[in-house]
């Protein structure tokens, strides 16, 4: 039976109220307490140095008894703790120092998963988004959907076990995958390069294994989110991330948020029929070794730019980020830079306004970084609004590594 944990919002900021849906005229006591708890937790997380009770009361405009009661509740739930006392200039202060409080990022965890044709990777991260454990597993490209789902569960469990974290403190997970994903982030609609993957229902499988909310999202979309969060896209509200590996896709950030389209298929540039293609299938053919490698890479970059130029004309991004696994060895970075410069030069002949072009700063980690961010956003939503609704996990004496 589904619990409140399984119904948390996944995937970003709160949505505006639908027309005709009014806010309630009366706020219940429980709702008010949840709002106050969220305000106090936000004050603890944003304050520098760690705040005292009096500082929290002043910041939230709540009475000291109210602040003290909620602080105790947040402490019992493991979300905050008393910070170690630090005396000024190494001198012991007379009397008992006032307690200061700090956020506990290991109160809970999220999981990001990157599923590819030949590998499955999982990252366990804390509530500040810092990786705690990363696990990778090579798999056969022809692996069936159910077997691939079992590999996902195994890799995630290995990451949790290696970290020493309590599995009950995993509060959300996101699976990044090639293919089309529905707008609700609960179902893979199509994944042509992964055998029976769409029928595997990875969301249900992983949710039952972890007992927490799980979402699935297109890999290029997650790569765009990851680059926006931890890469070169942080200052760009209008960005196109071109993910080039075994297949071609794009993640689009517009107005600072991910563009998903009517059915979740925005950015599927792999269905474009590129100029000069001799294949009966859409998309850009793989870049194959060539005796004249420099000429081949330059030509490939120009064809890439020509193919996606209509997309860039329609979106007018400030930044185009190229993420590619074609050149995984750091020593091959000059080849990636050549591909980028060729695409940028060709785009200059085709576009009205030329965006900046950059290589991904995250490289092969872009998708899994975005998966962590996507999962973390759902937990942040709860922390911002009703942190006391988070599940309480008893703390064992001695504690775990986390």
């Amino acid at each position: 039976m589904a619990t409140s944990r399984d119904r948390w919002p996944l995937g970003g900021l709160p949505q505006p109220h639908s027309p005709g849906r009014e806010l309630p005229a009366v706020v219940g006591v429980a709702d008010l307490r949840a709002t106050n708890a969220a305000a106090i937790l936000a004050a603890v997380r944003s304050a520098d140095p760690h705040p005292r009770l009096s500082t929290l009361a002043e910041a939230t405009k709540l009475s000291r008894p109210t602040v003290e009661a909620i602080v105790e509740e947040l402490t019992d739930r493991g979300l905050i703790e008393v910070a170690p006392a630090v005396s000024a200039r190494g001198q012991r202060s007379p009397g008992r120092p006032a307690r200061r409080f700090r956020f506990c990022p290991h109160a809970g965890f999220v999981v990001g998963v990157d599923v590819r044709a030949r590998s499955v990777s999982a990252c366990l991260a804390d509530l500040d988004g810092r990786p705690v454990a990363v696990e990778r597993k090579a798999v056969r490209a022809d692996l069936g959907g159910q077997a691939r789902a079992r590999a996902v569960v195994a890799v995630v469990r290995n990451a949790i076990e290696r970290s020493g974290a309590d599995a009950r403190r995993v509060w959300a997970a996101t699976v990044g995958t090639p293919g089309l994903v529905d707008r609700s982030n609960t179902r893979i609609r199509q994944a042509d390069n992964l055998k029976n993957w769409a029928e595997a229902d990875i969301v249900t499988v992983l949710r039952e294994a972890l007992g927490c909310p799980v979402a699935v999202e297109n890999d290029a979309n997650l790569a765009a989110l990851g680059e926006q969060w931890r890469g070169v896209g942080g200052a760009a509200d209008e960005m196109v991330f071109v993910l080039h590996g075994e297949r071609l896709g794009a993640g689009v950030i517009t107005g600072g948020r991910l563009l998903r389209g009517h059915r979740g298929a925005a950015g599927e540039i792999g269905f474009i029929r590129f100029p000069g293609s001799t294949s009966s299938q859409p998309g850009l053919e793989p870049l194959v070794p060539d005796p004249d490698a420099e000429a081949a890479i330059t030509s490939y970059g120009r064809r890439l730019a020509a193919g996606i130029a209509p997309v860039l004309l329609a979106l007018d991004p400030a930044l185009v980020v190229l993420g590619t696994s074609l050149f995984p060895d750091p020593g091959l970075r000059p080849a990636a830079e050549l591909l980028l410069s060729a695409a940028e030069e060709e785009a200059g002949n085709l576009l009205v306004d030329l965006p900046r072009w950059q290589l991904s700063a995250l490289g092969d980690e872009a998708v899994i970084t975005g998966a962590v961010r996507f999962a973390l956003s759902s937990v942040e939503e709860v922390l911002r609004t009703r942190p006391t609704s988070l599940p309480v996990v008893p703390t064992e004496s001695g504690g775990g590594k986390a």
Side-chain angles (χ1 to χ4, degrees), residues 103-116:
F103 179 63
C104 299
H106 282 194
F109 301 90
V110 298
V111 170
V113 180
D114 180 6
V115 175
R116 306 184 188 185

Side-chain angles (χ1 to χ4, degrees), residues 77-158:
R77 291 178 175 273
L79 289 170
I80 64 175
E81 65 182 0
V82 178
V86 179
S87 58
R89 298 179 183 175
Q91 302 295 321
R92 293 182 62 86
S93 303
R96 182 180 179 183
R99 292 184 301 166
R100 293 179 179 271
F101 299 91
R102 66 183 180 185
F103 179 63
C104 299
H106 282 194
F109 301 90
V110 298
V111 170
V113 180
D114 180 6
V115 175
R116 306 184 188 185
R118 293 176 174 82
S119 67
V120 174
S121 304
C123 175
L124 181 76
D126 66 17
L127 298 182
D128 282 338
R130 290 190 295 260
V132 176
V134 177
E135 287 285 325
R136 307 184 193 279
K137 177 181 177 62
V139 297
R140 300 195 321 272
D142 63 349
L143 200 65
Q146 296 298 333
R148 194 176 298 272
R150 289 193 295 271
V152 169
V153 172
V155 170
V156 169
R157 283 177 170 162
N158 288 343

Side-chain angles (χ1 to χ4, degrees), residues 37 40-53 55-56 67 70-86 98-108 127-128 130 383 402:
I40 290 171
L41 183 61
V44 170
R45 296 187 74 178
S46 61
D48 185 22
H50 304 310
R52 301 183 178 96
L53 286 173
T55 306
L56 294 173
V67 170
I70 292 176
V71 161
E72 291 303 321
E73 183 175 2
L74 292 174
T75 302
D76 290 342
R77 291 178 175 273
L79 289 170
I80 64 175
E81 65 182 0
V82 178
V86 179
R99 292 184 301 166
R100 293 179 179 271
F101 299 91
R102 66 183 180 185
F103 179 63
C104 299
H106 282 194
L127 298 182
D128 282 338
R130 290 190 295 260
L383 293 176

